Amino acid sequence: TGKRSKANIIFNTSLGAIFGVKKYADALQEIIRERDLTVNYRRNLVEVRADRQEAVFENLDKPGETQVFPYEMLHVTPPMSSPDVLKTSPVVDAAGWVDVDKETLQHKKYPNVFGIGDCTNLPTSKTAAAAAAQSGILDRTISLIMKSQTPVKKGLLGRTGLFAEVVSSGDELKMALP
C-alpha cells in the first residue's frame, strides 16, 4: 500500500526483553532491525489521553519519569497477573502464579493439582500457543498418574509458541514453534 515507509512503529513493553525465550527473542530482534522498529523496554502505560491521541508511559527504571507518545493507532495488552482468587490461595508461589513443575505441570506441593496456561509460573509466554504446547504434557502426566506411574520429566523446559508476520516481502509468514 506504500504506507509503511511513512509509519513510525513504536513498541513499548514493561519487560526487560522482547521475548522470554532466547531463540525467539533473537528472531524478533532481527525483525526489529530489518523493519527499523523502535522498541522501548521497561515502560508501563499509565495514561491514555484519547482526546489528544497521546499515550503516557512511565520508565520503570526511573519511577515517576514519564514520556508522552502521540499515536494514530494504539494497541495495548494489559499487565498479566493471575486472578485474585489464586493470589490468596496456597497453590501459588511468591509471585502469585500456580507453582508447577515445568516438566510435568504437576503442582510442586499438592500432587493432585495441575496447572496449564496463563495462571502458572511456567517459563513461557502467556499465549494460546504456549497453552497448546502444554496440553500434551499435561495429558501425558495425568495419564501416567492415573496408571499409578511416575510422570516423565522430559517436558516443557521453556517451550512456547510465537507467531510473527514478516512484512518486508509482503507475503511471507515466519512461525516459531517449540
Side-chain angles (χ1 to χ4, degrees):
T1 62
K3 295 184 181 186
R4 173 58 184 100
S5 63
K6 298 174 188 171
N8 180 24
I9 299 174
I10 301 170
F11 178 71
N12 290 340
T13 177
S14 63
L15 302 176
I18 193 69
F19 202 76
V21 178
K22 185 180 180 341
K23 172 169 92 171
Y24 303 139
D26 291 346
L28 287 172
Q29 287 296 345
E30 182 181 328
I31 292 170
I32 289 166
R33 280 188 297 278
E34 289 172 1
R35 308 296 183 287
D36 193 27
L37 306 177
T38 300
V39 178
N40 298 309
Y41 298 102
R42 309 267 309 133
R43 301 294 189 271
N44 185 44
L45 179 66
V46 294
E47 181 183 0
V48 175
R49 301 172 184 162
D51 59 326
R52 293 183 277 187
Q53 289 189 289
E54 295 176 339
V56 182
F57 288 83
E58 180 180 23
N59 181 340
L60 296 175
D61 293 325
K62 298 177 183 176
E65 178 183 298
T66 60
Q67 184 176 1
V68 177
F69 291 86
Y71 67 85
E72 289 184 23
M73 189 201 80
L74 180 65
H75 175 79
V76 178
T77 301
M80 300 293 212
S81 72
S82 59
D84 290 341
V85 69
L86 282 177
K87 289 178 187 173
T88 58
S89 165
V91 301
V92 298
D93 62 12
W97 304 104
V98 177
D99 194 18
V100 297
D101 180 286
K102 68 181 179 180
E103 296 184 78
T104 65
L105 305 181
Q106 186 174 24
H107 196 275
K108 292 179 180 176
K109 183 176 178 183
Y110 304 103
N112 63 335
V113 174
F114 305 87
I116 188 171
D118 293 359
C119 64
T120 63
N121 62 354
L122 296 169
T124 65
S125 60
K126 307 281 188 212
T127 65
Q134 296 162 19
S135 67
I137 294 163
L138 185 60
D139 177 53
R140 181 183 68 224
T141 296
I142 291 175
S143 295
L144 288 169
I145 289 172
M146 290 178 69
K147 295 175 188 171
S148 299
Q149 296 176 7
T150 303
V152 177
K153 292 237 180 192
K154 64 169 191 176
L156 198 61
L157 298 173
R159 290 178 63 180
T160 192
L162 168 72
F163 302 91
E165 184 177 352
V166 180
V167 291
S168 64
S169 66
D171 61 358
E172 181 183 353
L173 181 69
K174 199 179 263 191
M175 189 169 157
L177 293 173

